[in-house]
Amino acid sequence: MDDTSRRGVLQGMGTGMLTALAGRGLAAVPAPAPGRKLGYAIVGLGGYATRQIMPQFRDCDHSRLVALVSGTPGKLTRYAAEYDIPASNLYSYATFDRIRDNPSIDIVYIVLPNSMHAEYSIRAAQAGKHVLCEKPMAVSVAECEAMIAASRKANRKLMIGYRSRFEPYNQLAIQLARGGHVGPTRIITAEHGFNAQPGQWRLDRAMSGGGSLMDIGIYSLNAVRYLSGEEPVSVTAVESTDRRDPRFRTVEDRIDFMLRFPSGIVANCVSSYSSNHNAYRVNGTDGFIAMEPATPYEGQRMMIRKDGVTAPRVLPKPPKTQFVGQLDHLAICVMTDQQPIVAGEEGLADLHVMEAIYRSAREGRAVTLRS
Ligand code: NAD
């Protein structure tokens, strides 16, 4: 395992595991006080926040849900009752900045439409809070840079919701790919897509910042970056969107992109709002590491071909979900003053490439990226 992946795997683990590894002479990461939990405020009570994130706090070792922010009073009442949150810890978007006066809130988790990520992350940092912001970090490089500047100025942490980095199969794929388990990586393919339903903010560019790439294709991009451990040096992209389809009046449907990396690795990626994909495959000189599905909420499957034999790799069910790992990771980073493995710079790196992907598709040429 190289240093980067060792650090990534270590930081994605719970504290018990960290202590055990430290005992075996591996990198020692300062452990937070046992039982200490930091308070999270959730901003935006939509599908992902209420169905996937909020139920996870009951399994967290270092995080607890203490406050809610929503523009819909009925949602505040309902979820406050469900999660036993006092009225004093309920906020609207108009009263959001008063979180500054609430010491029980340590971390603000932004789960709003993409175009609102930057504003609320910056306001949270200015209120003295650490921030976990959903992907995509924001809708432009400029917004990402403003978010990083605000968190630095406030001396607070900023992390992006790249949950797959806390999921064991993806952690293993990183370790195997970067460690040369199937020989040096030559080609990575990554596909993510679903058939988008009409009538949602995701299909309104003003709210989403873009189509499938901003929402689901970002998983293909982020995966090829974490599997290669490199930053792309050039991108070529082709967009295929039927503009007669009412869903795609302002955003793209399909955008296919090819990335070249400094070591010679090539990545071929699919991003789609009209077909179903969730897979990646790392082809080395001696075999492949394939994941399908690769980045779902649960149920990852891995297949490895090496020495002429193709076989599934099955991991034991982890005691904690990727969502719990993500929430506790930021809490641990705050308590031990560590940089999160998916800090704001990671979200910014994706946005840099995404802007180049859009530019390449628009201008019909390869775009060179800063190496
Ligand atoms: P959603 O539509 O279900 O929820 C969005 C919430 O924002 C709603 O509660 C809505 O009321 C609120 N909102 C506030 N102001 C709004 C406005 N002006 N217009 C529209 N909604 C407004 O969306 P979601 O699926 O929960 O996505 C929220 C964020 O989470 C997005 O950034 C998305 O990319 C991200 N997400 C991440 C994952 C993941 O696996 N990491 C999965 C789903 C969504």
Side-chain angles (χ1 to χ4, degrees), residues 312-358:
R313 177 70 72 92
V314 181
L315 296 177
K317 191 173 158 51
K320 307 273 184 189
T321 66
Q322 57 188 314
F323 306 99
V324 169
Q326 172 176 268
L327 293 166
D328 273 349
H329 177 69
L330 181 53
I332 291 169
C333 286
V334 168
M335 287 190 265
T336 59
D337 196 20
Q338 307 271 318
Q339 176 82 332
I341 58 166
V342 279
E345 287 74 7
E346 181 68 17
L348 170 63
D350 271 351
L351 258 294
H352 263 300
V353 184
M354 285 154 78
E355 287 193 351
I357 290 170
Y358 282 130

Side-chain angles (χ1 to χ4, degrees), residues 43-49 51-52 70-72 75 93 109-114 116-117 134-136 161-163 200-202 207 214-215 219 295 297 323 326:
V43 188
L45 302 180
Y48 189 58
R51 289 198 287 271
Q52 303 304 329
S70 171
T72 312
K75 283 192 203 169
Y93 298 110
Y109 190 171
I110 313 293
V111 205
L112 289 166
N114 308 341
M116 301 171 78
H117 290 183
E134 258 317 312
K135 45 55 62 178
Y162 289 119
R163 57 179 169 71
Q200 47 171 329
W201 62 262
R202 285 178 167 75
M207 297 304 297
M214 282 282 171
D215 191 28
Y219 286 90
T295 61
Y297 295 154
F323 306 99
Q326 172 176 268

